[in-house]
Structures are given as structure tokens and as C-alpha cells.
Amino acid sequence: MDELGIIEQGVDWRTRVGQDIRDRMTDDILFSLQMKLQMTTSTTLIDLQKVATRIEERIYTIATDYGDYLRRISLTKGDLEDSYPMLLNNFLHIRQQASIHSSILLHQNNNQGQIIQAEGNVQGTSSNSILSNELTLNDHKKPFHPNAKDRISELPNDLFQHILSYLSTREAVRTGVLSQWWVNRWAFLQSIQLDVDWFHMDREKFSNFVDNLLVNRHHADVPMDTFQLHSFAIEHANCWINHAIKHNAKVLKFTEYQRWEPFYLDPKLVGFSSQYLKTLELTNAALYNLVFDPLNNACPALQNLILTDCLMEVEEISSSSLQKLDIIGCFLLKDLSICTPGLVSLRIKDRRMDNSSYKNSYLVFTNVTLIDASNVTSMELSAVDRKFTFVEKAGSSPMFRNLRSLHLSEWCIVDLFSPLRQFIQHSPMLEMVTLKLSLLRWRFQITDEHAKTLVRVRDARGLLLDFDWY
């Protein structure tokens, strides 16, 4: 590398980039991460040095040259800095709500004339009081009438839990103020939904709340049906997810805050090995082979896998039980093969909304190869940053013998729609084809010959042909 940072052609740029440069890039990313979390009242719930190191290592691995490396680093930092104002507003909202609530409580008398005491700052409140002091574990009210009878408390526990199941977790928590009998009853619901937004992005209070909840459930050995978690930069979320798996959750949904680095699912803390898990939905998570492999081999009941805005360094999806697979707006860092003989629905597509720039810093062109999709009836392959192919064994039945609906995008245009014609050729039951095309590209790149080819393909098989313009 010369004094201008230019690396001569033909030389592997990584051999000329010193560790001092990489450390400086890591420090820059670390500073941006620290600035972002300072706006949320806490930087103690996640090791930001590890996060910054993972980001830099990932970009260093996928960058094509030194200029590309710097560009991707810049995109990452730019996105983090752009989100400061939004997070600052959340932080100010927390302080404002705490101030208003304290003022009200300090001037409010109860029915016996006693003054209700309140702490004057956020740090002094309990871990549950952030939800406008409605989500408490211990506060309760006395009956309105001294002779009133609490008939609900006499109901059998199974019936009581059934009634609570119609409430959201947030609503169920509020029942704890009704009487002493109701305290913590909500904690034993079989369907749990937890959202950091309820706490106005106060990560510490959210973390304490979830920890208390799961500790209570663990001691009671309560089964779990559904666990839904929306978190933000809290490493302990790995343990929360693992808790749900260990308690035989059938449905598990996890979302990391969208304006943050994809959440690192630590294989040392999360084990996706379950005889009960049927549906797994992950949004903005980082998936690597070590944490993903059990989904292929140790989840015999898994039927639905929905991955949205995830970062995937996964080379194979091969679950034999999987029936629905959605990969939406995800970034693939390696070529992916899909061998899922039980699959009925497959979607690999982009999101309509714009992705943040730091996620575009992970954009890599990859190949997706379908090895076994014999039972798929509906398939969408419309992601633009990858190439789709399939492998059909000689002498076997047609690859897509049950396919009825096919949705493709611009990648199938090449060579007069050669990829489209190949898919149709191996889909004897196909009825409907939808093409997702750009109006701009269609106008300037699609010729009359392309149009005639489409007409011939449609008429030869009697297909319904539709267009999804954008």
C-alpha cells in the first residue's frame, strides 16, 4: 500500500492492511455504538467491544478490496449516527414520563388520607414500574367494598389461566393490582409476549423485568406454549431464548431492534434443540452454522421457519420436517443449499421497504441451490442479490412436480428468460407465474423478442402470467 492507501493490482489487499488500520476501524465503530446506546440510558447490557469486533471482522471478510472495506465501514458508521436523534427522543420521553409521574404521586392522597410516596428519578423505581407503574409484581388494591366477594379467585386454576390467555401479556400484568391473590398469576401464562417498546427503550428496566418474570416461571416449572420477544442490544436475550426452548415452547418469535446490529445468537448460550418447537421466527438476528445446525438435525417437529432481515452465514437448510420457509430481506454471506423434502411453501425475497445502510454494508452476491423441493406447491424466488439454481438427479421425477404457483424476479430475464423456461420445464403441474419487474428496466432492457418469448412460454403450457411492478 502506498502513501495514498492504494494497493497495487493483483495483490491480495488483506496482506497489505496492517492490524493498526483494522484496530482503528474497530475503534471508530465502537465509538458509534457507544454514542448510540448512551441515548438509551445504559451501555452495560452488552459487550460493545465484541460487537464492534464482529462487525469489523465480518466486513473485512466479505470486502472485495480496500476501497470496498472502507466503504462498508462508512455505511455502518453512518447508519448508527443517523439514528441518534430518534434514540435521543426515546431517552427524553423516559425522563419526562418519570418526572411527570413522580409529581402526580407526590400530590395524590389515597382513600385513607395517606400520601403515596414515589421516587423522584428513574433509577429509584422498581424494575416493573416503568410501564406507568401499572406492571407491578407486588402492588395490589383492597376490595372496593369490605363485604365484596372475589368470585374469580375461586375459579379452578385451569379456567383462570384460560381467561387470562385472552389478554396480552401487558394487560395480564396489570391484573396484579386487583388483589393479593392476583399478584404474579399472570407470570404463569403459557403464552408470553415481551417488548422493550413498553419500557420506552429503557433497556435496564426491561432486562430486570424479564429476568424476574422468567425466574418466577422457572421456580414454578410452568410449561410454555408461545414466547415472543422484542429486545434491543441485551446479550442476556440469548438466555431468555434458551429458557423458552428448555421449557418446551412450541412457538418462538424473536425480534432485535431494527436500527441495531443483527443480534448475535451465541451457540454457547442458545441451543436450538427441541422435540416441541414447531414455529421459529427470527428478525434481525445473526445466524451461523454452529447455532443453525440443530434446526436441521435436532428439531423434528419444526414446520415453520421465518427469517426476516437476518444475517446468514449458513451453508445448508436441510430440515426434513420443515413445511414453510421464508427468507425475507436477509443477507447471505455464503452460498446456500436447500434440501427440504417436506417443504410446501418457499419464499426468498427482498423487503419492499428500504433497508438501513449498515445492512447494505453486508450485501454480497451469493448462489442459492435447490436440491430437493419436490413437495413445494408455492415458490417465490425474487431476491435480487443472488442467483437461483436447482439440481435434479438423473432419472428422478421432475424437480418441482407439485409446484402450482411460481414468483420470480429480474434475475430470470437473462438469455430470453432461460431460467424461467427451465423452471417451467421441470414443473408439470404449474398453473401461475408472476414476474416481479422494475418498470425502468422493463422499458429500457426488455426487447420485443423478450415479450414474444414470454407469450410463447405462456401459450405453450396454458399458464396464467402476471406482473408485479415496482
Side-chain angles (χ1 to χ4, degrees):
M1 181 186 299
D2 62 20
E3 63 275 8
L4 296 178
I6 299 175
I7 299 176
E8 55 269 29
Q9 188 175 2
V11 176
D12 184 352
W13 67 274
R14 294 180 183 85
T15 63
R16 302 299 180 90
V17 176
Q19 189 60 44
D20 57 329
I21 295 177
R22 296 188 61 189
D23 290 343
R24 189 163 65 249
M25 295 298 105
T26 301
D27 289 342
D28 287 347
I29 296 172
L30 176 60
F31 176 77
S32 296
L33 293 170
Q34 290 170 337
M35 287 296 296
K36 182 165 186 173
L37 287 193
Q38 281 179 2
M39 300 296 101
T40 67
T41 75
S42 174
T43 60
T44 61
L45 298 174
I46 192 167
D47 190 334
L48 294 181
Q49 182 65 56
K50 289 183 178 179
V51 176
T53 300
R54 280 198 296 267
I55 293 175
E56 190 281 333
E57 287 180 347
R58 193 177 292 136
I59 292 176
Y60 178 78
T61 300
I62 65 177
T64 56
D65 54 44
Y66 184 61
D68 188 39
Y69 171 75
L70 295 178
R71 181 187 65 83
R72 293 174 185 267
I73 294 289
S74 178
L75 285 172
T76 300
K77 292 167 53 183
D79 183 77
L80 291 171
E81 292 165 2
D82 287 344
S83 63
Y84 291 167
M86 177 175 56
L87 290 170
L88 178 59
N89 287 337
N90 286 328
F91 173 71
L92 294 177
H93 179 75
I94 294 171
R95 300 302 298 268
Q96 182 184 27
Q97 291 295 102
S99 176
I100 293 174
H101 189 65
S102 297
S103 299
I104 294 175
L105 290 179
L106 287 171
H107 294 86
Q108 180 181 6
N109 292 335
N110 62 10
N111 292 333
Q112 289 75 33
Q114 298 174 336
I115 297 177
I116 299 175
Q117 299 295 325
E119 298 293 340
N121 55 67
V122 174
Q123 272 66 23
T125 58
S126 70
S127 65
N128 310 78
S129 61
I130 190 63
L131 295 185
S132 303
N133 272 4
E134 294 176 346
L135 303 189
T136 60
L137 286 171
N138 301 311
D139 292 345
H140 62 276
K141 296 179 180 179
K142 295 181 179 180
F144 178 75
H145 192 278
N147 296 322
K149 188 174 183 179
D150 183 3
R151 297 186 182 277
I152 294 182
S153 301
E154 298 177 353
L155 293 175
N157 186 63
D158 290 346
L159 180 56
F160 174 75
Q161 291 293 330
H162 180 72
I163 294 172
L164 278 187
S165 69
Y166 287 95
L167 304 178
S168 69
T169 302
R170 190 178 188 183
E171 293 169 334
V173 171
R174 291 171 177 158
T175 63
V177 303
L178 297 177
S179 71
Q180 184 65 42
W181 185 86
W182 286 80
V183 173
N184 292 353
R185 292 279 176 174
W186 60 270
F188 307 117
L189 287 171
Q190 294 190 22
S191 178
I192 299 295
Q193 300 173 1
L194 301 165
D195 195 331
V196 69
D197 285 340
W198 298 350
F199 294 74
H200 304 297
M201 306 300 286
D202 191 318
R203 297 162 53 247
E204 282 192 7
K205 291 189 178 296
F206 177 67
S207 181
N208 291 335
F209 179 81
V210 178
D211 281 339
N212 290 336
L213 164 65
L214 297 186
V215 165
N216 287 334
R217 290 181 57 85
H218 179 72
H219 290 329
D221 193 25
V222 181
M224 186 180 296
D225 181 75
T226 300
F227 185 72
Q228 186 169 341
L229 173 65
H230 178 202
S231 185
F232 173 27
I234 302 175
E235 283 184 354
H236 207 52
N238 278 298
C239 298
W240 301 338
I241 294 171
N242 202 59
H243 174 96
I245 296 171
K246 296 302 182 184
H247 285 75
N248 303 333
K250 299 180 181 65
V251 178
L252 176 57
K253 301 178 181 181
F254 170 76
T255 298
E256 175 70 352
Y257 179 57
Q258 291 284 56
R259 301 288 289 184
W260 183 251
E261 165 75 3
F263 182 77
Y264 175 65
L265 291 169
D266 191 340
K268 297 179 181 178
L269 301 176
V270 178
F272 285 116
S273 178
S274 171
Q275 301 293 315
Y276 303 91
L277 186 63
K278 292 184 177 180
T279 297
L280 176 62
E281 297 185 16
L282 300 174
T283 301
N284 197 26
L287 294 166
Y288 296 86
N289 282 326
L290 280 178
V291 76
F292 194 89
D293 281 348
L295 294 175
N296 289 330
N297 308 310
C299 292
L302 184 63
Q303 297 179 0
N304 307 297
L305 179 59
I306 295 92
L307 307 175
T308 305
D309 291 337
C310 288
L311 192 68
M312 300 178 61
E313 195 167 336
V314 175
E315 297 174 282
E316 182 181 62
I317 298 177
S318 58
S319 168
S320 59
S321 61
L322 205 60
Q323 296 181 12
K324 178 181 179 180
L325 174 60
D326 286 356
I327 302 176
I328 303 174
C330 295
F331 291 84
L332 307 184
L333 302 187
K334 293 184 176 180
D335 291 343
L336 175 67
S337 65
I338 298 175
C339 183
T340 49
L343 202 64
V344 176
S345 173
L346 172 63
R347 291 195 302 165
I348 305 178
K349 57 179 290 187
D350 296 320
R351 288 170 66 92
R352 289 295 181 122
M353 59 188 298
D354 292 335
N355 286 316
S356 59
S357 58
Y358 83 84
K359 289 185 179 178
N360 286 331
S361 68
Y362 298 141
L363 186 61
V364 179
F365 186 85
T366 52
N367 296 312
V368 176
T369 303
L370 306 179
I371 297 177
D372 191 340
S374 55
N375 284 312
V376 171
T377 61
S378 176
M379 182 164 63
E380 177 174 358
L381 306 174
S382 59
V384 297
D385 57 342
R386 60 209 60 167
K387 178 182 178 182
F388 297 95
T389 59
F390 62 90
V391 177
E392 185 174 275
K393 297 180 181 179
S396 63
S397 301
M399 177 66 172
F400 308 107
R401 55 180 174 270
N402 289 303
L403 186 63
R404 264 73 172 178
S405 175
L406 177 62
H407 192 144
L408 304 179
S409 64
E410 295 171 0
W411 62 269
C412 73
I413 293 176
V414 297
D415 192 18
L416 294 178
F417 292 101
S418 176
L420 170 62
R421 288 184 277 126
Q422 290 180 4
F423 272 84
I424 292 176
Q425 180 182 350
H426 294 267
S427 307
M429 304 297 292
L430 189 61
E431 300 170 354
M432 177 76 180
V433 174
T434 302
L435 298 180
K436 178 182 176 182
L437 301 174
S438 165
L439 282 171
L440 183 62
R441 294 193 180 186
W442 176 266
R443 180 178 179 183
F444 293 105
Q445 296 184 16
I446 306 299
T447 65
D448 290 341
E449 189 61 31
H450 283 91
K452 293 177 181 178
T453 300
L454 277 180
V455 171
R456 287 196 297 269
V457 169
R458 180 199 64 186
D459 294 345
R461 287 283 301 274
L463 298 172
L464 294 175
L465 182 62
D466 195 12
F467 295 92
D468 180 10
W469 301 105
Y470 69 98

